[in-house]
Amino acid sequence: MNDALKHSTDLNVQLRPWDSFMALYQREMARFMKVIFQTVFTPLINSVLYLMIFGVSLGKSITLDHPVSYLAFLIPGLMMMGVLNNAFQNSSSSIISGKFSGDLEDLKVVPLTSTMILWAMSIAGLTRGLMVGLVTLFVGEAFSYVVDGQLIAIAQPLWLLLFLVIGGLMFSMLGVVVAFFARTMDQLSAVSSFVLVPLIYLGGVFFSMNGLHPFWRTVSRFNPVLYLINGVRYGLLGIADVNIWTASVVSVVFLGVFYILGLRALKVGDYQRW
Amino acid sequence: MTSQNLAPIKIDALVKDYGSLRAVDNVSFEMKPGEIFGLLGPNGAGKTTLISTIMTLEEPTSGSVQVFGHDVTKEPQITKTLTGFVPQELIHHGYFDVEEIMNFHSGYFGLRKNKERIDWLLQKLSLYEHRKKKVKALSGGMKRRLLIAKALVHDPKVLLLDEPTAGGDIELREQLWTFVEELKSQGLSILLTTHYIEEAEQLCARVGILQKGKLRRVGPTRELVKELTKREIGIRLKQEPTSDPTHPMFLRRVGSELIFETPSTMGAGDLLDQLNLDLKQVADLNIREGSLEDALRRVLGDKVATGGAV
Ligand SMILES: Nc1ncnc2c1ncn2[C@@H]1O[C@H](COP(=O)(O)OP(=O)(O)O)[C@@H](O)[C@H]1O
Ligand SMILES: [Mg+2]
């Protein structure tokens, strides 16, 4: 037998945290790359529909107090919506399917720390989110070219990237939290449809906060998604309903909160099979 | 103390409560390096719970668990790297094939380029030809073997096998135990639980007997059997005797054979002496040693199911 395959009784442990982390990141990526077609194709269809119905048909009758067309106004909101949904999807479905199959326990019996698991899942969710965001941007550019006769030049690329990254990480972490504490599949979808969808829709994907009743404007200020969407809108178009610095500080604070919740979920959460 | 003398697993006053149920009740024992240690006991005795605390799947209510001198709650990354774990329940892995699962699992231990060992393990466990199959398409026995391959992918120093042969066919069991003996001969320490007491008797140098969370007995298998069981000595005489002997250990007579039940420590010679039998009268001696299963039944009481399913 090859010596390398012989059992070694050496008790010195060599941890390779970077490789452990990368292995999990690669698994999380491989999981959605197996269904890459749906992953990218579904949001592509969604954006086309939204842009056709809202951007093109309704858009003509909507005026904004921003110097951009309603179609252009929609694109950053749709991008962020795609990022958030897919980031949440990726981490939560990974954990839930792990609870069904029993392989979530695998993560608990190998030298992966909660921090490593959280980052691997979050960055994978972010990666998927960014792919969808990019697809949405391309579709948006095509629509803009056809309908408005011009391509949109990205106003502030770094701000754009910053908010996409924060949003992707934040919702991946939220996915970890919700999936860990969900006791059933129904609970997970309840959180999706009664918490996430309203947050995203009321976060200003389709409208400017300036047009809202003052009461709702105040309520909106507590919605983290509002800052993410306005940040992205500022990055792409150079316009926003909130100050960009306020938006970034609030977003980073929320990211910190979700990070702590995510770590907590991984530390005390239940890895056992359903 | 050199590292080679450290106990692979050391359990100290371990208690695990699930609500009001005490699943593990003040258990202490130590494995010896390089041995196969068997944890036996009826369903619900707490075997899986105990193993789960070693893997940090369950947190001890009190007490401590050490792997080669490292506390599992204080240095989990080290203890997990030293340990290979085969869970009792099968795992399905919805999306991936056998080879992918092996690669990921190896990667979690920081070994992202481990093809040689992975191929070797898959061959050893007759999975190599199935390596491109989705895990969910494997039979139960193959899934079980995949769990074992996964547990060994990082060359652990102690292997925990929780009912590794449950539901498996004879072939799987024989193949598995041959492989386990081979690993043991290279110095791997192994803790196993099993339903098949004969397996434990053949393999385990020492066993611990759990019942309702309490460790009732722990010790070398042969010594426990000796201590807890009687041996039957049959003396077949050349001529059928006219009457039964009056010796207190006499059990029954079958034709010309006198059957005695003696303590395991007593030799046949002693019995012959006590009976004052002339060797010329004896046609044959027949000795039946007690089994681990008998010993287990003694410890657990007769209500326990027999026929191996303890
Ligand atoms: N997660 C759990 N929650 C509550 N009770 C449990 C849990 N796991 C095991 N038990 C209980 O603990 C006891 C020991 O179970 P277990 O360790 O699985 O026994 P064994 O592996 O020896 O069959 C049983 O009474 C079982 O019902
Ligand atoms: Mg069990």
Side-chain angles (χ1 to χ4, degrees):
Chain A
M1 184 168 66
N2 184 329
D3 271 357
L5 300 175
K6 267 227 177 82
H7 175 65
S8 144
T9 47
D10 181 5
L11 293 175
N12 287 316
V13 169
Q14 203 188 348
L15 297 174
R16 298 176 195 81
W18 173 254
D19 289 291
S20 302
F21 163 82
M22 280 308 287
L24 180 57
Y25 173 70
Q26 281 171 347
R27 188 197 72 165
E28 291 301 290
M29 292 294 292
R31 228 177 50 79
F32 87 81
M33 292 306 275
K34 297 232 168 200
V35 287
I36 184 69
F37 189 70
Q38 291 103 295
T39 309
V40 176
F41 198 69
T42 314
L44 191 131
I45 297 288
N46 281 343
S47 335
V48 168
L49 285 176
Y50 278 123
L51 288 169
M52 257 165 44
I53 296 165
F54 293 103
V56 181
S57 315
L58 293 172
K60 297 200 176 71
S61 54
I62 297 177
T63 48
L64 299 160
D65 50 4
H66 292 297
V68 296
S69 72
Y70 183 64
L71 179 79
F73 180 86
L74 264 186
I75 295 168
L78 290 179
M79 282 173 72
M80 195 42 132
M81 186 162 90
V83 171
L84 300 183
N85 276 332
N86 280 277
F88 181 84
Q89 262 292 317
N90 206 60
S91 60
S92 62
S93 68
S94 171
I95 289 167
I96 295 285
S97 68
K99 284 191 181 184
F100 270 111
S101 64
D103 72 353
L104 188 61
E105 275 192 3
D106 276 2
L107 301 185
K108 190 83 178 178
V109 301
V110 297
L112 284 166
T113 61
S114 302
T115 314
M116 281 149 72
I117 297 174
L118 186 59
W119 279 110
M121 290 196 164
S122 303
I123 296 175
L126 169 66
T127 312
R128 171 166 164 184
L130 287 180
M131 288 166 89
V132 171
L134 208 62
V135 167
T136 312
L137 178 62
F138 286 140
V139 174
E141 291 281 7
F143 266 84
S144 179
Y145 188 75
V146 172
V147 178
D148 293 346
Q150 58 179 16
L151 289 176
I152 299 166
I154 298 177
Q156 305 277 355
L158 287 182
W159 282 116
L160 178 64
L161 190 63
L162 177 77
F163 282 96
L164 291 175
V165 168
I166 293 179
L169 291 177
M170 196 194 285
F171 270 58
S172 299
M173 290 170 185
L174 181 64
V176 171
V177 176
V178 173
F180 253 99
F181 290 121
R183 291 264 159 269
T184 62
M185 200 67 195
D186 287 341
Q187 286 185 359
L188 180 74
S189 48
V191 171
S192 286
S193 37
F194 296 119
V195 182
L196 291 189
V197 172
L199 280 184
I200 292 173
Y201 280 67
L202 299 175
V205 178
F206 298 103
F207 54 83
S208 164
M209 211 182 61
N210 298 336
L212 288 179
H213 183 277
F215 171 76
W216 289 112
R217 212 181 298 173
T218 312
V219 171
S220 291
R221 292 201 173 276
F222 294 96
N223 180 357
V225 180
L226 175 89
Y227 301 93
L228 295 172
I229 288 177
N230 275 282
V232 168
R233 196 167 279 143
Y234 181 79
L236 187 64
L237 306 171
I239 58 164
D241 296 340
V242 290
N243 178 288
I244 189 66
W245 291 103
T246 313
S248 37
V249 170
V250 172
S251 299
V252 169
V253 168
F254 270 107
L255 179 62
V257 170
F258 283 63
Y259 178 74
I260 291 165
L261 289 177
L263 273 189
R264 187 92 201 119
L266 285 163
K267 287 217 170 87
V268 305
D270 196 352
Y271 287 72
Q272 270 182 11
R273 175 199 308 256
W274 277 348
Chain B
M1 189 195 267
T2 72
S3 60
Q4 300 304 322
N5 297 331
L6 285 171
I9 303 285
K10 181 166 189 269
I11 311 268
D12 193 21
L14 181 70
V15 173
K16 175 65 194 178
D17 290 341
Y18 292 114
S20 61
L21 176 83
R22 183 146 290 192
V24 176
D25 191 355
N26 196 20
V27 168
S28 305
F29 71 89
E30 219 174 275
M31 274 177 75
K32 295 195 163 72
E35 78 173 349
I36 303 184
F37 183 93
L39 205 51
L40 309 176
N43 269 329
K47 307 181 293 293
T48 297
T49 306
L50 197 150
I51 288 185
S52 299
T53 60
I54 303 175
M55 293 321 298
T56 74
L57 288 164
E58 298 289 352
E59 221 175 305
T61 304
S62 65
S64 75
V65 178
Q66 287 183 3
V67 176
F68 290 107
H70 302 276
D71 190 292
V72 297
T73 56
K74 296 192 185 103
E75 298 174 287
Q77 281 182 286
I78 291 179
T79 61
K80 288 171 193 180
T81 307
L82 289 167
T83 315
F85 170 55
V86 178
Q88 181 174 352
E89 301 286 337
L90 295 178
I91 296 179
H92 305 290
H93 304 292
Y95 303 85
F96 297 114
D97 66 32
V98 169
E99 201 167 49
E100 286 171 312
I101 288 297
M102 289 298 288
N103 277 316
F104 291 135
H105 205 75
S106 181
Y108 300 156
F109 290 93
L111 308 167
R112 286 202 287 153
K113 293 202 176 63
N114 200 9
K115 182 172 167 35
E116 198 187 3
R117 186 173 175 86
I118 289 173
D119 286 352
W120 174 72
L121 283 170
L122 291 180
Q123 260 150 9
K124 274 281 176 192
L125 290 155
S126 313
L127 287 168
Y128 190 73
E129 55 273 40
H130 306 294
R131 68 192 185 283
K132 298 287 178 203
K133 280 192 189 157
K134 288 260 194 300
V135 177
K136 63 182 173 199
L138 299 182
S139 72
M142 289 187 222
K143 281 196 187 117
R144 179 78 59 192
R145 296 202 295 271
L146 175 59
L147 290 182
I148 294 160
K150 274 166 67 189
L152 289 168
V153 77
H154 60 296
D155 190 21
K157 310 307 164 198
V158 57
L159 180 64
L160 312 180
L161 296 161
D162 197 358
E163 312 262 2
T165 49
D169 45 42
I170 305 262
E171 203 186 341
L172 160 75
R173 287 162 61 183
E174 276 171 6
Q175 184 193 23
L176 171 65
W177 294 134
T178 311
F179 190 33
V180 164
E181 295 267 24
E182 182 184 327
L183 294 166
K184 189 219 141 159
S185 72
Q186 294 170 19
L188 180 68
S189 311
I190 298 161
L191 174 78
L192 67 89
T193 77
T194 177
H195 261 61
Y196 300 95
I197 305 304
E198 313 93 87
E199 277 179 1
E201 188 166 12
Q202 276 171 36
L203 288 161
C204 303
R206 294 194 312 137
V207 294
I209 301 173
L210 271 179
Q211 186 184 28
K212 292 189 183 140
K214 286 198 171 72
L215 189 64
R216 299 287 309 275
R217 286 296 177 123
V218 61
T221 314
R222 293 272 25 114
E223 278 177 29
L224 280 184
V225 171
K226 264 202 169 150
E227 181 194 327
L228 292 166
T229 62
K230 305 227 173 226
R231 64 178 357 180
E232 273 184 19
I233 301 179
I235 302 174
R236 193 153 59 76
L237 301 174
K238 287 181 179 149
Q239 271 172 6
E240 200 164 318
T242 46
S243 66
D244 290 347
T246 52
H247 192 277
M249 292 169 193
F250 176 72
L251 203 59
R252 61 180 181 273
R253 180 165 66 88
V254 183
S256 59
E257 186 175 13
L258 306 172
I259 299 174
F260 298 83
E261 193 180 60
T262 74
S264 287
T265 42
M266 182 168 167
D270 298 336
L271 181 65
L272 289 176
D273 273 353
Q274 289 178 16
L275 290 171
N276 246 329
L277 263 174
D278 186 347
L279 270 182
K280 288 193 187 91
Q281 297 170 255
V282 177
D284 199 6
L285 278 178
N286 207 341
I287 301 175
R288 280 178 293 271
E289 298 289 351
S291 68
L292 182 58
E293 198 168 331
D294 299 333
L296 220 70
R297 214 173 295 135
R298 260 296 287 288
V299 174
L300 301 175
D302 278 330
K303 1 181 230 311
V304 175
T306 54
V310 174

